[in-house]
Amino acid sequence: MTTPVVLDGGDRRCVLLLIELRRLTLQVPADTTIHQIATDPAAPLDLPAWCHLTGHTYLGPLPAGDRPTYAIRVTAAAAVTDPDRPWRPTQV
């Protein structure tokens, strides 16, 4: 098993987190697990919704730690989204 890639979103809003997460999913190989640290209260709703939209696999929240962390597995055939608005699919 490979070590997960950690994306520390700090206290940034989910809009910025999704932009960073989208960028990272394009840089790592398929089947990479990303641990997204996110304190934004919208993260538990936005992250699974974004994964559903794109086709990445939402693995859920990790056991309690000092900061909320969510696991996502990168999918090779993920849908492409707008770089500045990753909640919008790109029209091809």
Side-chain angles (χ1 to χ4, degrees):
M1 176 178 244
T2 61
T3 303
V5 175
V6 176
L7 178 57
D8 189 345
D11 59 357
R12 289 188 290 282
R13 296 182 334 231
C14 253
V15 171
L16 298 175
L17 297 175
L18 290 178
I19 290 171
E20 291 176 22
L21 179 60
R22 179 198 178 274
R23 186 178 309 125
L24 181 58
T25 61
L26 297 172
Q27 297 172 353
V28 299
D31 292 325
T32 297
T33 298
I34 297 172
H35 285 179
Q36 170 76 62
I37 300 169
T39 59
D40 185 319
L45 300 172
D46 287 351
L47 291 173
W50 184 80
C51 287
H52 179 74
L53 170 76
T54 60
H56 294 296
T57 304
Y58 179 70
L59 302 174
L62 297 177
D66 49 331
R67 296 186 295 163
T69 305
Y70 308 89
I72 297 137
R73 183 169 303 122
V74 177
T75 303
V80 179
T81 60
D82 184 299
D84 297 321
R85 294 172 186 85
W87 52 92
R88 292 185 179 175
T90 300
Q91 302 301 324
V92 181

